Amino acid sequence: MNQEQKRAHWVSIVEQQKQSQLSIKQFCTDSGISYQTFYYWSKRLRVPDAMQTLPPIIVDEHEYTQALSVNITFTNGIRAEFPATLSQAQIRHWVAALL
């Protein structure tokens, strides 16, 4: 399930809870949903999509340095360090896996 599908799935679940007129705790218990997961997604859905997307990462393979690693710090504070020997495609693969 990709991110858009997950988001749509949880939008549906949060809406079901609102329409059920049950407390969140009771709805989660009855539905077999983790209370913490429900709150995570309900909070995440309140944040606009634009706030959840990261700016594009530009990797320029033409500028070589003597660096031993490539460090990327995302806007959410996550920092990733990759060996400088990785290709642009490999770095993109791992960055996509982190998101």
Side-chain angles (χ1 to χ4, degrees), residues 19-34:
Q19 292 178 3
S20 73
Q21 298 182 347
L22 296 173
S23 68
I24 292 173
K25 187 173 183 178
Q26 187 62 51
F27 176 82
C28 290
T29 301
D30 292 353
S31 302
I33 298 170
S34 162

Side-chain angles (χ1 to χ4, degrees), residues 1-11 41 44:
M1 185 180 301
N2 67 32
Q3 288 297 325
E4 290 178 28
Q5 292 168 328
K6 284 181 189 177
R7 187 174 180 81
H9 172 76
W10 281 99
V11 164
W41 277 99
R44 186 171 176 181

Side-chain angles (χ1 to χ4, degrees), residues 6-92:
K6 284 181 189 177
R7 187 174 180 81
H9 172 76
W10 281 99
V11 164
S12 172
I13 289 175
V14 170
E15 188 58 35
Q16 288 173 29
Q17 186 279 322
K18 288 178 185 174
Q19 292 178 3
S20 73
Q21 298 182 347
L22 296 173
S23 68
I24 292 173
K25 187 173 183 178
Q26 187 62 51
F27 176 82
C28 290
T29 301
D30 292 353
S31 302
I33 298 170
S34 162
Y35 189 66
Q36 291 82 4
T37 303
F38 183 91
Y39 266 107
Y40 167 82
W41 277 99
S42 63
K43 181 179 177 183
R44 186 171 176 181
L45 294 172
R46 287 191 296 262
V47 176
D49 283 339
M51 296 294 290
Q52 294 182 15
T53 58
L54 297 174
I57 298 170
I58 300 169
V59 179
D60 187 355
E61 285 191 84
H62 300 291
E63 291 186 24
Y64 295 101
T65 64
Q66 297 297 324
L68 298 175
S69 63
V70 175
N71 298 302
I72 300 173
T73 303
F74 298 95
T75 56
N76 62 1
I78 293 176
R79 183 177 168 272
E81 183 174 345
F82 303 101
T85 56
L86 291 180
S87 70
Q88 180 180 358
Q90 290 170 315
I91 292 173
R92 284 185 181 166

